[in-house]
Coordinates of all heavy atoms in Angstrom, one line a residue:
M5 N -8.6 -17.8 0.9 CA -7.9 -16.6 0.6 C -7.5 -15.8 1.8 O -8.3 -15.6 2.7 CB -8.7 -15.7 -0.4 CG -8.0 -14.4 -0.7 SD -8.9 -13.3 -1.8 CE -10.2 -12.7 -0.8
T6 N -6.2 -15.5 1.9 CA -5.7 -14.6 2.9 C -5.5 -13.2 2.3 O -4.6 -13.1 1.4 CB -4.4 -15.2 3.5 OG1 -4.6 -16.5 3.9 CG2 -3.9 -14.3 4.6
A7 N -6.3 -12.3 2.7 CA -6.2 -10.9 2.1 C -5.5 -9.9 3.0 O -5.7 -10.0 4.2 CB -7.6 -10.4 1.7
L8 N -4.7 -9.0 2.4 CA -4.1 -7.9 3.1 C -4.5 -6.6 2.4 O -4.5 -6.5 1.2 CB -2.6 -8.1 3.0 CG -1.7 -6.9 3.4 CD1 -1.8 -6.7 4.9 CD2 -0.3 -7.0 3.0
I9 N -5.0 -5.7 3.2 CA -5.3 -4.4 2.7 C -4.3 -3.4 3.2 O -4.2 -3.2 4.4 CB -6.8 -4.0 3.2 CG1 -7.8 -5.0 2.7 CG2 -7.1 -2.6 2.7 CD1 -9.2 -4.7 3.2
T10 N -3.6 -2.7 2.3 CA -2.7 -1.6 2.7 C -3.5 -0.4 2.6 O -4.4 -0.2 1.8 CB -1.4 -1.6 1.8 OG1 -1.8 -1.4 0.5 CG2 -0.6 -2.8 2.0
G11 N -3.2 0.6 3.5 CA -4.0 1.8 3.5 C -5.3 1.6 4.1 O -6.3 2.3 3.8
G12 N -5.5 0.6 5.0 CA -6.8 0.3 5.5 C -7.5 1.3 6.4 O -8.6 1.1 6.7
T13 N -6.8 2.3 6.8 CA -7.4 3.3 7.6 C -7.9 4.5 6.8 O -8.5 5.4 7.3 CB -6.5 3.8 8.7 OG1 -5.3 4.4 8.1 CG2 -6.1 2.7 9.7
G14 N -7.6 4.5 5.5 CA -8.0 5.6 4.6 C -9.4 5.4 4.1 O -10.1 4.5 4.5
Q15 N -9.8 6.3 3.3 CA -11.2 6.3 2.8 C -11.5 5.0 1.9 O -12.4 4.3 2.2 CB -11.5 7.6 1.9 CG -12.9 7.7 1.5 CD -13.2 9.0 0.7 OE1 -12.3 9.8 0.5 NE2 -14.4 9.2 0.4
V16 N -10.6 4.7 1.0 CA -10.8 3.5 0.1 C -10.6 2.3 1.0 O -11.4 1.3 0.9 CB -9.9 3.6 -1.1 CG1 -10.0 2.3 -1.9 CG2 -10.3 4.7 -2.0
G17 N -9.5 2.3 1.8 CA -9.2 1.1 2.6 C -10.3 0.8 3.6 O -10.6 -0.4 3.8
S18 N -10.9 1.8 4.2 CA -12.0 1.6 5.1 C -13.2 0.9 4.4 O -13.8 0.0 5.0 CB -12.4 2.9 5.8 OG -11.4 3.4 6.6
A19 N -13.5 1.3 3.2 CA -14.6 0.7 2.5 C -14.2 -0.7 2.1 O -15.1 -1.6 2.2 CB -14.8 1.5 1.2
L20 N -13.0 -1.0 1.8 CA -12.6 -2.4 1.5 C -12.7 -3.2 2.7 O -13.1 -4.4 2.7 CB -11.2 -2.4 0.9 CG -11.0 -1.8 -0.5 CD1 -9.5 -1.7 -0.8 CD2 -11.8 -2.7 -1.5
R21 N -12.3 -2.7 3.9 CA -12.3 -3.4 5.1 C -13.8 -3.8 5.5 O -14.0 -4.9 6.0 CB -11.7 -2.7 6.3 CG -10.2 -2.7 6.2 CD -9.5 -1.9 7.4 NE -10.3 -1.9 8.6 CZ -10.6 -0.7 9.2 NH1 -10.2 0.4 8.7 NH2 -11.2 -0.8 10.4
A22 N -14.7 -2.9 5.1 CA -16.1 -3.2 5.4 C -16.6 -4.4 4.5 O -17.4 -5.2 4.9 CB -17.0 -2.0 5.1
L23 N -16.1 -4.5 3.3 CA -16.4 -5.6 2.4 C -15.7 -6.9 2.7 O -16.2 -7.9 2.4 CB -16.1 -5.1 0.9 CG -16.9 -4.0 0.4 CD1 -16.4 -3.5 -1.0 CD2 -18.4 -4.4 0.3
L24 N -14.5 -6.7 3.2 CA -13.7 -7.9 3.5 C -13.3 -7.9 5.0 O -12.1 -7.6 5.4 CB -12.4 -7.9 2.7 CG -12.6 -8.0 1.2 CD1 -11.4 -7.7 0.4 CD2 -13.2 -9.4 0.8
P25 N -14.2 -8.2 5.9 CA -13.9 -8.0 7.4 C -12.8 -9.0 7.9 O -12.2 -8.7 8.9 CB -15.3 -8.3 8.0 CG -16.0 -9.0 7.0 CD -15.6 -8.6 5.7
D26 N -12.5 -10.0 7.2 CA -11.5 -11.0 7.6 C -10.1 -10.6 7.1 O -9.1 -11.3 7.5 CB -11.8 -12.4 7.2 CG -13.1 -12.9 7.9 OD1 -13.4 -12.5 9.0 OD2 -13.8 -13.8 7.3
A27 N -10.0 -9.6 6.3 CA -8.7 -9.2 5.7 C -7.9 -8.5 6.8 O -8.4 -7.8 7.7 CB -8.9 -8.3 4.5
E28 N -6.6 -8.7 6.7 CA -5.7 -8.0 7.6 C -5.5 -6.6 7.0 O -5.3 -6.5 5.8 CB -4.4 -8.8 7.7 CG -3.4 -8.2 8.7 CD -2.2 -9.1 8.9 OE1 -2.1 -10.1 8.3 OE2 -1.3 -8.6 9.6
A29 N -5.5 -5.6 7.9 CA -5.4 -4.2 7.5 C -4.6 -3.5 8.5 O -5.1 -2.8 9.3 CB -6.7 -3.6 7.2
P30 N -3.2 -3.7 8.5 CA -2.4 -3.1 9.6 C -2.4 -1.6 9.4 O -2.4 -1.0 8.3 CB -1.0 -3.7 9.3 CG -1.0 -4.0 7.9 CD -2.4 -4.4 7.5
G31 N -2.4 -0.9 10.6 CA -2.2 0.6 10.6 C -0.8 1.0 10.5 O 0.1 0.1 10.4
R32 N -0.5 2.3 10.5 CA 0.8 2.8 10.3 C 1.8 2.4 11.4 O 3.0 2.3 11.2 CB 0.8 4.3 10.2 CG 0.1 4.8 9.0 CD 0.1 6.3 8.9 NE -0.6 6.7 7.7 CZ -1.6 7.7 7.7 NH1 -1.9 8.3 8.8 NH2 -2.2 8.0 6.6
R33 N 1.2 2.2 12.6 CA 2.1 1.8 13.7 C 2.6 0.4 13.5 O 3.7 0.0 14.0 CB 1.4 1.9 15.0 CG 1.1 3.4 15.4 CD 0.5 3.5 16.8 NE 0.3 4.9 17.1 CZ -0.8 5.3 17.7 NH1 -1.7 4.4 18.2 NH2 -1.0 6.6 17.9
V34 N 1.9 -0.4 12.8 CA 2.3 -1.8 12.6 C 3.2 -2.0 11.4 O 4.1 -2.7 11.3 CB 1.0 -2.7 12.5 CG1 1.4 -4.2 12.1 CG2 0.2 -2.7 13.8
L35 N 2.8 -1.2 10.3 CA 3.5 -1.4 9.0 C 3.7 0.0 8.4 O 2.7 0.7 8.0 CB 2.6 -2.2 8.1 CG 3.2 -2.5 6.7 CD1 4.6 -3.3 6.9 CD2 2.3 -3.4 5.9
D36 N 4.9 0.5 8.4 CA 5.3 1.8 7.9 C 5.4 1.7 6.4 O 6.4 1.2 5.9 CB 6.5 2.3 8.5 CG 6.9 3.7 8.1 OD1 6.2 4.3 7.2 OD2 8.0 4.2 8.5
L37 N 4.4 2.2 5.6 CA 4.4 2.1 4.2 C 5.3 3.1 3.5 O 5.6 3.0 2.3 CB 3.0 2.2 3.6 CG 2.1 1.1 4.1 CD1 0.7 1.4 3.6 CD2 2.5 -0.3 3.7
S38 N 5.9 4.0 4.3 CA 6.8 5.0 3.7 C 8.2 4.4 3.6 O 9.1 5.0 3.0 CB 6.9 6.3 4.5 OG 7.5 6.0 5.8
E39 N 8.4 3.2 4.1 CA 9.6 2.4 3.9 C 9.3 1.1 3.3 O 9.3 0.1 4.0 CB 10.3 2.3 5.3 CG 10.8 3.6 5.9 CD 11.8 4.3 5.1 OE1 12.5 3.7 4.3 OE2 11.8 5.6 5.2
P40 N 9.1 1.0 2.0 CA 8.7 -0.2 1.4 C 9.7 -1.4 1.6 O 9.2 -2.5 1.6 CB 8.7 0.1 -0.1 CG 8.4 1.6 -0.1 CD 9.1 2.1 1.1
A41 N 10.9 -1.1 1.9 CA 11.9 -2.3 2.1 C 11.4 -3.1 3.3 O 11.7 -4.3 3.4 CB 13.3 -1.7 2.3
G42 N 10.8 -2.5 4.3 CA 10.3 -3.2 5.5 C 9.1 -4.0 5.2 O 8.6 -4.8 6.0
L43 N 8.5 -3.8 4.0 CA 7.3 -4.5 3.7 C 7.5 -6.0 3.4 O 6.7 -6.9 3.8 CB 6.7 -3.9 2.5 CG 5.4 -4.4 1.9 CD1 4.3 -4.3 3.0 CD2 5.0 -3.7 0.7
V44 N 8.7 -6.4 2.8 CA 8.9 -7.7 2.4 C 8.9 -8.7 3.6 O 8.2 -9.7 3.5 CB 10.2 -7.8 1.5 CG1 10.6 -9.3 1.3 CG2 10.0 -7.1 0.2
P45 N 9.6 -8.4 4.7 CA 9.5 -9.3 5.8 C 8.1 -9.5 6.3 O 7.7 -10.6 6.7 CB 10.4 -8.7 6.9 CG 11.3 -7.8 6.1 CD 10.6 -7.3 4.9
Y46 N 7.3 -8.4 6.3 CA 6.0 -8.5 6.7 C 5.2 -9.4 5.8 O 4.4 -10.3 6.3 CB 5.3 -7.1 6.7 CG 4.0 -7.0 7.3 CD1 3.8 -6.8 8.7 CD2 2.8 -7.2 6.5 CE1 2.5 -6.7 9.2 CE2 1.6 -7.1 7.0 CZ 1.4 -6.9 8.4 OH 0.2 -6.8 8.9
L47 N 5.3 -9.3 4.5 CA 4.6 -10.1 3.6 C 5.1 -11.6 3.7 O 4.3 -12.5 3.7 CB 4.9 -9.6 2.1 CG 4.3 -8.3 1.8 CD1 4.8 -7.8 0.4 CD2 2.8 -8.3 1.9
E48 N 6.4 -11.8 3.9 CA 6.9 -13.2 4.0 C 6.3 -13.8 5.2 O 6.0 -15.0 5.2 CB 8.4 -13.1 4.1 CG 9.1 -12.8 2.8 CD 8.9 -13.8 1.7 OE1 8.8 -15.0 2.0 OE2 8.8 -13.4 0.5
A49 N 6.2 -13.1 6.3 CA 5.6 -13.7 7.5 C 4.2 -14.1 7.4 O 3.7 -15.0 8.0 CB 5.8 -12.7 8.7
R50 N 3.4 -13.3 6.6 CA 2.0 -13.5 6.5 C 1.5 -14.2 5.3 O 0.4 -14.8 5.2 CB 1.2 -12.2 6.7 CG 1.3 -11.7 8.1 CD 1.3 -10.2 8.2 NE 1.4 -9.8 9.6 CZ 2.5 -9.7 10.3 NH1 3.6 -10.0 9.7 NH2 2.5 -9.4 11.6
R51 N 2.3 -14.1 4.2 CA 2.0 -14.8 3.0 C 0.6 -14.6 2.4 O -0.2 -15.6 2.2 CB 2.3 -16.3 3.1 CG 3.6 -16.7 3.8 CD 4.8 -16.8 3.0 NE 4.7 -17.3 1.7 CZ 5.6 -17.0 0.7 NH1 6.5 -16.1 1.0 NH2 5.5 -17.6 -0.4
P52 N 0.1 -13.4 2.2 CA -1.2 -13.2 1.7 C -1.3 -13.7 0.3 O -0.4 -13.7 -0.5 CB -1.4 -11.7 1.7 CG 0.0 -11.1 1.6 CD 0.9 -12.1 2.4
T53 N -2.5 -14.2 0.0 CA -2.8 -14.7 -1.4 C -3.4 -13.6 -2.2 O -3.5 -13.7 -3.5 CB -3.7 -15.9 -1.4 OG1 -4.9 -15.6 -0.7 CG2 -3.0 -17.1 -0.7
A54 N -3.9 -12.5 -1.6 CA -4.4 -11.3 -2.3 C -4.0 -10.1 -1.5 O -4.1 -10.0 -0.3 CB -5.9 -11.4 -2.3
I55 N -3.6 -9.1 -2.2 CA -3.2 -7.8 -1.7 C -4.0 -6.7 -2.3 O -4.0 -6.6 -3.6 CB -1.7 -7.5 -1.8 CG1 -0.8 -8.6 -1.2 CG2 -1.3 -6.1 -1.3 CD1 0.6 -8.5 -1.5
L56 N -4.7 -5.9 -1.5 CA -5.5 -4.8 -2.1 C -4.8 -3.6 -1.6 O -4.8 -3.2 -0.4 CB -6.9 -4.8 -1.5 CG -7.7 -6.0 -2.0 CD1 -7.5 -7.3 -1.2 CD2 -9.2 -5.7 -2.1
N57 N -4.1 -2.9 -2.5 CA -3.3 -1.7 -2.1 C -4.1 -0.4 -2.3 O -4.3 0.1 -3.4 CB -2.0 -1.6 -3.0 CG -1.2 -0.4 -2.6 OD1 -1.2 0.0 -1.4 ND2 -0.5 0.2 -3.5
A58 N -4.6 0.1 -1.2 CA -5.4 1.3 -1.1 C -4.5 2.4 -0.5 O -5.0 3.5 -0.3 CB -6.7 1.1 -0.4
A59 N -3.2 2.2 -0.3 CA -2.4 3.1 0.3 C -2.0 4.2 -0.7 O -1.7 3.9 -1.9 CB -1.1 2.5 0.9
A60 N -1.9 5.4 -0.3 CA -1.5 6.5 -1.2 C -1.2 7.7 -0.3 O -1.8 8.0 0.7 CB -2.6 6.9 -2.2
Y61 N -0.2 8.5 -0.8 CA 0.1 9.8 -0.2 C -0.7 10.8 -1.0 O -0.4 11.1 -2.2 CB 1.6 10.1 -0.4 CG 2.1 11.2 0.4 CD1 2.9 11.0 1.5 CD2 1.7 12.5 0.1 CE1 3.4 12.1 2.3 CE2 2.2 13.6 0.9 CZ 3.0 13.3 2.0 OH 3.5 14.4 2.7
T62 N -1.8 11.3 -0.4 CA -2.7 12.2 -1.1 C -2.8 13.6 -0.6 O -3.5 14.4 -1.1 CB -4.1 11.6 -1.0 OG1 -4.5 11.5 0.3 CG2 -4.2 10.2 -1.7
A63 N -1.9 13.9 0.4 CA -1.9 15.3 0.9 C -1.1 16.1 -0.1 O 0.1 16.2 0.0 CB -1.3 15.4 2.3
V64 N -1.8 16.7 -1.1 CA -1.1 17.4 -2.2 C -0.2 18.5 -1.8 O 1.0 18.5 -2.2 CB -2.2 18.0 -3.2 CG1 -1.5 18.7 -4.3 CG2 -3.0 16.9 -3.8
D65 N -0.6 19.4 -0.9 CA 0.3 20.4 -0.4 C 1.5 19.9 0.3 O 2.6 20.4 0.1 CB -0.5 21.4 0.5 CG -1.6 22.1 -0.3 OD1 -1.5 22.2 -1.5 OD2 -2.5 22.6 0.4
R66 N 1.3 18.9 1.1 CA 2.5 18.4 1.9 C 3.4 17.6 0.9 O 4.6 17.5 1.1 CB 2.0 17.4 3.0 CG 1.7 18.2 4.3 CD 1.6 17.3 5.5 NE 1.5 15.9 5.2 CZ 0.7 15.1 5.8 NH1 0.0 15.5 6.9 NH2 0.7 13.8 5.5
A67 N 2.8 17.0 -0.1 CA 3.6 16.2 -1.1 C 4.7 17.1 -1.8 O 5.8 16.6 -2.1 CB 2.7 15.5 -2.1
E68 N 4.3 18.3 -2.0 CA 5.3 19.2 -2.6 C 6.5 19.5 -1.6 O 7.6 19.7 -2.1 CB 4.6 20.6 -2.9 CG 3.6 20.4 -4.0 CD 2.8 21.6 -4.3 OE1 3.0 22.7 -3.6 OE2 1.9 21.6 -5.2
D69 N 6.2 19.4 -0.3 CA 7.3 19.6 0.6 C 8.0 18.3 1.0 O 9.1 18.3 1.5 CB 6.8 20.2 1.9 CG 6.2 21.6 1.7 OD1 6.7 22.3 0.8 OD2 5.3 22.0 2.4
E70 N 7.4 17.2 0.7 CA 7.9 15.8 1.0 C 7.9 14.9 -0.2 O 7.2 13.9 -0.2 CB 7.1 15.2 2.2 CG 7.1 16.0 3.4 CD 6.1 15.4 4.5 OE1 5.4 14.5 4.2 OE2 6.2 15.9 5.6
P71 N 8.5 15.3 -1.3 CA 8.4 14.5 -2.5 C 9.0 13.1 -2.4 O 8.5 12.2 -3.0 CB 9.2 15.4 -3.5 CG 10.1 16.2 -2.7 CD 9.4 16.5 -1.5
D72 N 10.0 13.0 -1.6 CA 10.6 11.6 -1.5 C 9.6 10.7 -0.8 O 9.5 9.5 -1.2 CB 11.9 11.7 -0.7 CG 13.0 12.4 -1.4 OD1 12.9 12.5 -2.7 OD2 13.9 12.9 -0.8
T73 N 9.0 11.1 0.3 CA 8.0 10.3 1.0 C 6.8 10.0 0.1 O 6.4 8.8 0.0 CB 7.5 10.9 2.3 OG1 8.7 11.2 3.1 CG2 6.5 10.1 3.0
A74 N 6.3 11.0 -0.6 CA 5.2 10.8 -1.6 C 5.6 9.8 -2.6 O 4.8 8.9 -3.0 CB 4.8 12.1 -2.2
F75 N 6.8 9.9 -3.2 CA 7.2 8.9 -4.2 C 7.4 7.5 -3.7 O 6.9 6.5 -4.3 CB 8.6 9.4 -4.8 CG 8.9 8.6 -6.1 CD1 8.4 9.1 -7.3 CD2 9.7 7.5 -6.0 CE1 8.7 8.4 -8.5 CE2 10.0 6.8 -7.2 CZ 9.5 7.3 -8.4
R76 N 7.9 7.4 -2.5 CA 8.0 6.0 -1.9 C 6.7 5.4 -1.7 O 6.5 4.2 -2.0 CB 8.7 6.1 -0.5 CG 10.2 6.2 -0.7 CD 11.0 6.0 0.6 NE 10.5 6.8 1.7 CZ 11.0 8.0 2.0 NH1 12.0 8.5 1.3 NH2 10.6 8.6 3.1
I77 N 5.7 6.1 -1.3 CA 4.4 5.5 -1.0 C 3.6 5.3 -2.3 O 2.9 4.3 -2.5 CB 3.5 6.4 0.0 CG1 4.2 6.3 1.4 CG2 2.1 5.9 0.1 CD1 3.6 7.3 2.4
N78 N 3.7 6.3 -3.2 CA 2.9 6.2 -4.5 C 3.6 5.5 -5.6 O 2.9 5.2 -6.6 CB 2.5 7.6 -4.9 CG 1.5 8.2 -4.0 OD1 0.9 7.5 -3.1 ND2 1.2 9.5 -4.1
A79 N 4.8 5.2 -5.5 CA 5.5 4.6 -6.7 C 6.3 3.4 -6.2 O 6.1 2.3 -6.7 CB 6.5 5.6 -7.4
D80 N 7.2 3.6 -5.2 CA 8.0 2.4 -4.7 C 7.2 1.4 -4.1 O 7.4 0.2 -4.3 CB 9.1 2.9 -3.7 CG 10.2 3.8 -4.4 OD1 10.3 3.8 -5.6 OD2 10.9 4.5 -3.6
L81 N 6.3 1.7 -3.2 CA 5.4 0.7 -2.6 C 4.7 -0.1 -3.6 O 4.7 -1.4 -3.4 CB 4.4 1.4 -1.6 CG 3.4 0.5 -1.0 CD1 4.0 -0.5 0.0 CD2 2.3 1.3 -0.2
P82 N 3.9 0.4 -4.5 CA 3.3 -0.5 -5.5 C 4.2 -1.4 -6.3 O 3.9 -2.5 -6.5 CB 2.6 0.5 -6.4 CG 2.4 1.7 -5.6 CD 3.6 1.8 -4.8
G83 N 5.4 -0.8 -6.6 CA 6.4 -1.7 -7.2 C 6.9 -2.8 -6.4 O 7.0 -4.0 -6.9
C84 N 7.1 -2.6 -5.1 CA 7.5 -3.6 -4.2 C 6.3 -4.7 -4.0 O 6.6 -5.9 -4.1 CB 7.8 -3.0 -2.8 SG 8.3 -4.2 -1.6
L85 N 5.1 -4.2 -3.9 CA 4.0 -5.1 -3.8 C 3.8 -6.0 -5.1 O 3.6 -7.2 -5.1 CB 2.7 -4.4 -3.6 CG 2.5 -3.7 -2.2 CD1 1.3 -2.8 -2.2 CD2 2.5 -4.7 -1.1
A86 N 4.0 -5.3 -6.3 CA 3.9 -6.0 -7.5 C 5.0 -7.1 -7.6 O 4.7 -8.3 -8.1 CB 4.0 -5.1 -8.7
G87 N 6.2 -6.8 -7.3 CA 7.3 -7.8 -7.3 C 7.0 -8.9 -6.4 O 7.2 -10.1 -6.8
W88 N 6.7 -8.7 -5.2 CA 6.4 -9.7 -4.2 C 5.2 -10.6 -4.7 O 5.3 -11.8 -4.7 CB 6.1 -9.2 -2.8 CG 6.1 -10.3 -1.8 CD1 7.1 -10.8 -1.1 CD2 5.0 -11.1 -1.5 NE1 6.7 -11.8 -0.3 CE2 5.4 -12.0 -0.5 CE3 3.6 -11.1 -1.8 CZ2 4.5 -13.0 0.1 CZ3 2.8 -12.0 -1.2 CH2 3.2 -12.9 -0.3
S89 N 4.2 -10.0 -5.2 CA 3.0 -10.7 -5.7 C 3.4 -11.6 -6.8 O 2.9 -12.8 -6.9 CB 1.9 -9.7 -6.1 OG 1.4 -9.0 -5.0
K90 N 4.1 -11.1 -7.8 CA 4.5 -11.9 -8.9 C 5.4 -13.1 -8.5 O 5.1 -14.3 -8.9 CB 5.3 -11.1 -9.9 CG 5.7 -11.9 -11.1 CD 6.4 -11.0 -12.2 CE 6.8 -11.8 -13.4 NZ 7.4 -11.0 -14.4
R91 N 6.3 -12.9 -7.6 CA 7.2 -14.0 -7.1 C 6.4 -15.0 -6.3 O 6.8 -16.2 -6.2 CB 8.3 -13.4 -6.3 CG 9.4 -12.7 -7.1 CD 10.6 -12.3 -6.2 NE 10.3 -11.6 -5.0 CZ 10.1 -10.3 -4.9 NH1 10.2 -9.5 -6.0 NH2 9.8 -9.7 -3.8
N92 N 5.3 -14.6 -5.7 CA 4.6 -15.5 -4.8 C 3.2 -15.9 -5.3 O 2.4 -16.4 -4.5 CB 4.5 -14.9 -3.4 CG 5.9 -14.8 -2.8 OD1 6.3 -15.8 -2.2 ND2 6.6 -13.7 -2.9
D93 N 3.0 -15.6 -6.6 CA 1.7 -16.0 -7.2 C 0.5 -15.5 -6.4 O -0.5 -16.2 -6.2 CB 1.6 -17.5 -7.4 CG 0.6 -17.9 -8.4 OD1 0.3 -17.1 -9.3 OD2 0.0 -19.0 -8.3
A94 N 0.6 -14.2 -6.0 CA -0.5 -13.6 -5.2 C -1.2 -12.6 -6.1 O -0.6 -12.0 -7.0 CB 0.0 -12.9 -4.0
L95 N -2.5 -12.4 -5.9 CA -3.2 -11.4 -6.6 C -2.9 -10.0 -6.0 O -2.9 -9.9 -4.8 CB -4.7 -11.7 -6.5 CG -5.7 -10.6 -7.0 CD1 -5.7 -10.6 -8.5 CD2 -7.1 -10.9 -6.5
L96 N -2.7 -9.0 -6.9 CA -2.5 -7.7 -6.5 C -3.6 -6.8 -7.1 O -3.7 -6.8 -8.4 CB -1.1 -7.2 -6.8 CG -0.9 -5.7 -6.5 CD1 -1.0 -5.3 -5.0 CD2 0.5 -5.3 -7.0
L97 N -4.3 -6.1 -6.3 CA -5.3 -5.1 -6.8 C -4.8 -3.8 -6.3 O -4.8 -3.5 -5.1 CB -6.7 -5.4 -6.3 CG -7.8 -4.5 -6.7 CD1 -7.9 -4.4 -8.3 CD2 -9.1 -4.9 -6.1
H98 N -4.5 -2.9 -7.2 CA -3.9 -1.6 -6.9 C -4.9 -0.4 -7.2 O -5.3 -0.4 -8.4 CB -2.6 -1.4 -7.6 CG -2.0 0.0 -7.4 ND1 -1.4 0.4 -6.2 CD2 -1.9 1.1 -8.3 CE1 -1.0 1.7 -6.4 NE2 -1.3 2.1 -7.6
Y99 N -5.2 0.4 -6.2 CA -6.0 1.6 -6.5 C -5.0 2.7 -6.6 O -4.1 2.9 -5.8 CB -7.0 1.8 -5.3 CG -8.0 0.8 -5.2 CD1 -7.8 -0.4 -4.5 CD2 -9.2 1.0 -5.8 CE1 -8.8 -1.3 -4.4 CE2 -10.2 0.0 -5.8 CZ -10.0 -1.1 -5.0 OH -10.9 -2.1 -5.0
S100 N -5.2 3.6 -7.6 CA -4.3 4.7 -7.9 C -5.0 6.0 -7.7 O -6.2 6.1 -7.7 CB -3.7 4.5 -9.3 OG -2.7 5.5 -9.5
T101 N -4.1 7.0 -7.7 CA -4.6 8.4 -7.5 C -3.9 9.3 -8.5 O -2.8 9.0 -8.9 CB -4.4 8.9 -6.1 OG1 -4.8 10.3 -6.1 CG2 -2.9 8.9 -5.7
D102 N -4.6 10.3 -9.0 CA -3.9 11.3 -9.8 C -3.7 12.6 -9.1 O -3.3 13.6 -9.6 CB -4.7 11.5 -11.1 CG -6.0 12.2 -10.9 OD1 -6.4 12.3 -9.7 OD2 -6.7 12.6 -11.8
Y103 N -3.9 12.6 -7.8 CA -3.8 13.8 -7.0 C -2.4 14.2 -6.7 O -2.1 15.4 -6.5 CB -4.5 13.7 -5.7 CG -6.0 13.7 -5.8 CD1 -6.7 12.6 -5.5 CD2 -6.7 14.8 -6.3 CE1 -8.1 12.6 -5.7 CE2 -8.0 14.8 -6.4 CZ -8.7 13.7 -6.2 OH -10.1 13.7 -6.3
V104 N -1.4 13.3 -6.7 CA 0.0 13.6 -6.4 C 0.9 13.6 -7.6 O 1.6 14.5 -7.9 CB 0.5 12.7 -5.3 CG1 2.0 13.0 -5.0 CG2 -0.3 12.8 -4.0
F105 N 0.8 12.6 -8.4 CA 1.6 12.5 -9.6 C 0.6 12.6 -10.8 O -0.4 11.9 -10.8 CB 2.3 11.1 -9.6 CG 3.3 11.0 -8.5 CD1 3.1 10.2 -7.5 CD2 4.5 11.8 -8.6 CE1 4.0 10.1 -6.4 CE2 5.4 11.7 -7.5 CZ 5.2 10.8 -6.5
P106 N 0.9 13.4 -11.8 CA 0.0 13.6 -12.9 C 0.0 12.4 -13.9 O -0.9 12.3 -14.7 CB 0.6 14.8 -13.6 CG 2.1 14.8 -13.3 CD 2.1 14.2 -11.9
G107 N 0.8 11.4 -13.8 CA 0.7 10.2 -14.6 C 1.7 10.2 -15.7 O 1.8 9.2 -16.5
D108 N 2.5 11.3 -15.9 CA 3.5 11.3 -17.0 C 4.9 11.0 -16.4 O 5.9 11.2 -16.9 CB 3.4 12.6 -17.8 CG 3.7 13.8 -16.9 OD1 3.8 13.7 -15.7 OD2 3.6 14.9 -17.5

């Protein structure tokens, strides 16, 4: 299994990295998750068989000032990961938050 952890520097991602030390967990400088379109070439080059998405925009106060960025990370990114995973028969495990979007 080739695993990729998104959001690997955050609280959940760090815990996942400790459990899966061989997983790739690129930081923001390597993979900008606020631009999900750039994610596909990254995935195509690495071809992970499992993706653990722990990335989230959780700064509630800033999210009110940056709703587009928050939406890209908390909605567009998971959608992009789901589409790629489905097309490539990869497992996707997504961790979600209710701190930014209420769920409705």
Side-chain angles (χ1 to χ4, degrees):
M5 174 178 74
T6 304
L8 171 69
I9 300 171
T10 60
T13 59
Q15 186 175 4
V16 174
S18 294
L20 290 171
R21 284 182 27 236
L23 294 171
L24 299 167
D26 293 334
E28 186 172 354
R32 290 181 183 133
R33 291 185 182 144
V34 175
L35 184 60
D36 182 1
L37 299 176
S38 68
E39 295 299 332
L43 181 63
V44 172
Y46 187 89
L47 294 171
E48 290 294 328
R50 284 150 183 85
R51 314 276 318 155
T53 56
I55 301 171
L56 293 85
N57 183 30
Y61 192 111
T62 59
V64 178
D65 294 338
R66 274 195 346 218
E68 293 174 358
D69 295 330
E70 302 175 351
D72 293 338
T73 302
F75 192 86
R76 281 193 305 272
I77 294 173
N78 290 349
D80 292 342
L81 173 67
C84 182
L85 291 172
W88 190 91
S89 296
K90 182 176 181 178
R91 289 188 305 276
N92 291 278
D93 198 30
L95 171 71
L96 173 62
L97 178 60
H98 173 74
Y99 292 86
S100 186
T101 178
D102 64 351
Y103 288 113
V104 178
F105 296 108
D108 57 0

